[in-house]
């Protein structure tokens, strides 16, 4: 059971918009710690997708965006493409548990 | 280009010590990042072990700290992981990472699979 809660799976058709939620608590996201998002393509290591809640590293398309409010955060993907099919993880920090991750969300492009 | 390359035995016996090394190239280990380890299991997802800075500062996951030693060798540009008293639950893919907890981990190795079995 992960400290950060993500839906196990989401899906969408090409071109659509999907969102992935990441729910925490007052000791992590709600305490003001940033949320970061990673994309893990099949058979590869996770790759940073969004850092500091809303920032995209160089090379990440602007179809990917992040937001944070209260004890939750969200990753939005617009203009869904087949290559976006992957697992997505959120990460934050907990005052008692140190670095924490969500359980991951599998995105299926229909 | 920054590269993190993990190495170590792929099979460890229960109750023994797991030892992994990560060679860091293309980035100075003396600036910018903490260097450490994250593992991934099908059942528990991603799990942070700890990270160390070249000054000696460190961040560990409290529940794993008693079994974990992470060391940074700046002369060899290597970070190592020692995990004692392993069980089958420690079977996972182990990733070497660079980042600044609580900030994001911007650098990841390709990972190495370690199986704990007799």
């Amino acid at each position: 059971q992960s400290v950060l809660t993500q839906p196990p799976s989401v899906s969408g058709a090409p071109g659509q918009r999907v969102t992935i939620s990441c729910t925490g608590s007052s000791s992590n996201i709600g305490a003001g710690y940033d949320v970061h998002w990673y994309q893990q393509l099949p058979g590869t290591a996770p790759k940073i997708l969004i850092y500091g809640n809303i920032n995209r590293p160089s090379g990440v398309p602007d179809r990917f965006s992040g937001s944070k409010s209260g004890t939750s955060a969200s990753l939005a993907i617009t203009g869904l493409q087949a290559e976006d099919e992957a697992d997505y993880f959120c990460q934050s920090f907990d005052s008692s548990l140190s670095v924490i991750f969500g359980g991951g969300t599998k995105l299926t492009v229909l | 280009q920054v590269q993190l390359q993990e190495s170590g035995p792929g099979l460890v016996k229960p109750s023994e010590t797991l030892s992994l090394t990560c060679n860091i190239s293309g980035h100075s280990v003396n600036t910018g990042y903490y260097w450490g380890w994250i593992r991934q299991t099908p059942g528990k997802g991603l799990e942070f072990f700890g990270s160390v800075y070249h000054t000696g500062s460190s961040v560990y996951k409290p529940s794993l700290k008693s079994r974990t030693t992470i060391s940074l060798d700046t002369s060899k540009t290597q970070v190592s992981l020692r995990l004692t008293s392993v069980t089958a639950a420690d079977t996972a893919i182990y990733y070497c990472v660079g980042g600044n907890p609580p900030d994001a981990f911007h650098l990841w190795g390709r990972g190495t699979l370690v199986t704990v079995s007799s």
Side-chain angles (χ1 to χ4, degrees), chain A residues 60-92:
Chain A
V60 172
D62 59 6
R63 302 186 295 105
F64 295 91
S65 63
S67 63
K68 174 191 163 184
S69 178
T71 58
S72 296
S74 289
L75 172 71
I77 309 172
T78 59
L80 205 57
Q81 299 180 5
E83 67 202 48
D84 299 332
E85 191 160 287
D87 293 326
Y88 293 84
F89 295 89
C90 60
Q91 177 225 316
S92 187

Side-chain angles (χ1 to χ4, degrees), chain A residues 2-6 21-31 33 35 68-74 90-94 100-102:
Chain A
S2 300
V3 180
L4 300 178
T5 301
Q6 298 181 235
S21 62
C22 175
T23 303
S25 69
S26 58
S27 64
N28 41 71
I29 299 175
Y33 292 108
V35 177
K68 174 191 163 184
S69 178
T71 58
S72 296
S74 289
C90 60
Q91 177 225 316
S92 187
F93 190 89
D94 188 277
I100 53 174
F101 289 92

